[in-house]
């Protein structure tokens, strides 16, 4: 937890499946002669603005039923937003936080090897590309997200340490994928940790995210089985008039010092360089995934002042405690400043102090988490916290040094528990006509 930020009218069936991992032009008509769904989505943003100007919910309810072919034109900007599948990097890394997320790990089935893994990644890539464009999956689509549009869906794929032995590719396993060290604060459930394959799904619509999860699971077929699966959420887009750094379930602003793509050294910190080793990881990144339970009953017994001392920032606006009564979330933190009693304003064991890159040899990682709540346990305690996902070019220089330091004296450690963990090599994005991981599996 490092510091971080209508009328129901039938819709025609989607055109026949495209060839794997290839995109047709946005203006291409469907085989039935009806304008393609993607072309309709292209007008959705403007349509959403027009609906808003018509007077909100009242104007929307009064609108006549849309013609069958225009149903997806009812999408507003949230539903119409589309992330790109193809690119130098996989989606789901630098995209804005999404409202709903699913994390799922798979183990290859007994007897499945490199050939079966390649076929699976090819299927998964085809499905991800189609669903991210707001189209139906190629095989037996469930229609769960038929009316929802792309909704910023991203699907990201990674390989665990065990994948390489299962596929006979041990010589291609990156050194950076060596198992994470043990930490004294760990209470890890092995059944919910690691895995041969990892998939991250995010979207701004819950049905779209669930639809993608089901499609990915169905595509796995007999080649792989689910090892573990977790569900998360964030603030819904559009809930605030401008983007704000997210809050976690402790009520704290979380993500203030996250690296930003606009920074000159962002790519160096987050992505494997083009000349990296192994070559198949060029443009890729390493994801550390942790289920961090928050002991909310204990946390909420603290006064706001005590909570702020644990974090080192004001709870109301995220300003550092060293800024006194002024300052903002982005005000520089003065680690040496003291109060009238001579004590440091930012306590020596404050979470925000310990996780600073300049306190950890420049170690930095891109935190992109989801909150989770999985109900109330038998003792009446909420099973809730953070699905921590962080990205870096090398976890031994990103996550590991920061977590080691947190392990030695972070004031927050009393109120959290690391319950599962995974490390995954996430290759670069697929080019047109390729599938994710092709350079590894066919190289």
């Amino acid at each position: 937890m490092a510091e971080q930020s209508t009328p129901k009218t039938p819709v025609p069936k989607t055109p026949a499946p495209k060839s794997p991992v290839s995109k047709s032009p946005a203006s291409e008509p469907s085989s039935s002669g009806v304008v393609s769904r993607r072309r309709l989505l292209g007008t959705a943003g403007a349509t959403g603005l027009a609906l808003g100007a018509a007077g909100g919910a009242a104007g929307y309810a009064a609108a006549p039923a849309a013609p069958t072919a225009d149903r997806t034109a009812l999408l507003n900007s949230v539903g119409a937003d589309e992330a790109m599948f193809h690119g130098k990097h996989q989606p789901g890394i630098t995209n804005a936080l999404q409202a709903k997320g699913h994390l799922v790990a798979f183990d290859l089935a007994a007897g499945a090897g490199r050939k079966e893994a390649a076929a699976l990644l090819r299927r998964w890539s085809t499905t991800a590309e189609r669903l991210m464009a707001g189209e139906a999956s190629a095989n037996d689509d469930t229609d769960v997200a038929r009316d929802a549009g792309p909704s910023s869906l991203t699907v990201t794929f990674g390989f665990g340490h065990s994948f390489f032995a299962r596929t006979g590719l041990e010589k291609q396993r990156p050194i950076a994928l060596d198992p994470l060290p043990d930490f004294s604060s760990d209470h890890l459930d092995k059944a919910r940790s690691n895995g041969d394959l990892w998939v991250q799904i995010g979207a701004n619509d819950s049905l779209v995210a669930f639809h993608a999860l089901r499609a990915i699971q169905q595509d796995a077929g007999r080649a792989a089985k689910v090892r573990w699966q977790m569900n998360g959420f964030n603030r819904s887009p559009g809930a605030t008039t401008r983007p704000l750094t997210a809050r976690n379930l402790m009520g704290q602003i979380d993500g203030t010092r996250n690296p930003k793509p606009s920074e000159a050294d962002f790519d160096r910190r987050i992505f494997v360089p083009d000349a990296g080793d192994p070559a198949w990881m060029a443009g890729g990144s390493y994801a550390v995934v942790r289920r961090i339970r928050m002991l909310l009953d204990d946390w909420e017994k603290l006064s706001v002042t005590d909570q702020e001392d644990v974090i080192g920032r004001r709870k109301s606006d995220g300003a550092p405690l060293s800024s006194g009564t002024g300052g903002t979330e982005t005000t520089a933190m003065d680690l040496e400043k003291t109060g009238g009693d001579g004590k440091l304003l930012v306590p020596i064991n404050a979470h925000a102090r310990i996780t600073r890159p300049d306190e950890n040899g420049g170690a930095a990682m891109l935190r992109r988490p989801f909150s989770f709540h999985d109900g109330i346990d038998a003792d009446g305690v909420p099973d809730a916290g953070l699905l921590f996902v962080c990205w870096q070019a090398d976890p031994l220089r990103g996550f590991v040094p920061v977590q080691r330091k947190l392990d030695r004296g972070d004031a927050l450690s009393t109120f959290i528990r690391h319950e599962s963990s995974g490390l995954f090599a996430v290759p670069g994005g697929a080019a047109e006509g390729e599938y994710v991981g092709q350079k590894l599996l066919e190289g």
Side-chain angles (χ1 to χ4, degrees), residues 51-230:
L51 289 171
Y60 187 89
T68 298
D70 290 337
R71 181 148 187 195
T72 51
L74 294 175
L75 294 171
N76 67 16
S77 58
V78 173
D81 283 346
E82 178 181 350
M84 296 295 104
F85 175 76
H86 295 292
K88 182 176 182 178
H89 312 300
Q90 285 197 62
I93 302 176
T94 58
N95 303 79
L97 289 177
Q98 294 133 308
K100 186 65 177 180
H102 298 296
L103 307 180
V104 55
F106 293 82
D107 285 335
L108 290 172
R114 180 174 177 176
K115 178 181 178 181
E116 290 77 14
L120 174 57
L121 266 296
R122 188 180 295 111
R123 291 195 299 274
W124 275 352
S125 295
T126 299
T127 293
E129 183 196 11
R130 292 181 66 89
L131 297 187
M132 284 175 57
E135 300 172 359
S137 58
N139 300 305
D140 299 323
D141 191 88
T142 62
D143 284 346
V144 170
R146 175 177 284 266
D147 309 313
S151 295
S152 298
L153 173 67
T154 60
V155 186
T156 317
F157 304 105
F159 304 115
H161 185 276
S162 56
F163 176 83
F164 296 84
R166 299 292 303 276
T167 55
L169 291 165
E170 293 97 327
K171 292 183 179 179
Q172 290 296 320
R173 185 175 61 222
I175 295 175
L177 201 58
D178 285 352
L180 297 173
D182 294 329
F183 301 104
S184 63
S185 59
D186 286 351
H187 297 77
L188 303 182
D189 178 358
K190 293 183 178 180
R192 293 194 294 181
S193 298
N194 301 314
D196 294 342
L197 293 156
W198 175 68
V199 185
Q200 173 190 255
I201 295 166
N204 285 331
D205 182 276
S206 295
L207 286 179
V208 170
F210 175 81
H211 181 232
L213 176 65
R214 287 293 295 145
I216 291 296
Q217 183 184 358
Q218 290 170 337
D219 278 350
R222 297 182 178 179
K225 60 181 180 180
V226 174
R227 178 180 176 89
W228 54 260
Q229 195 263 311
M230 302 174 189

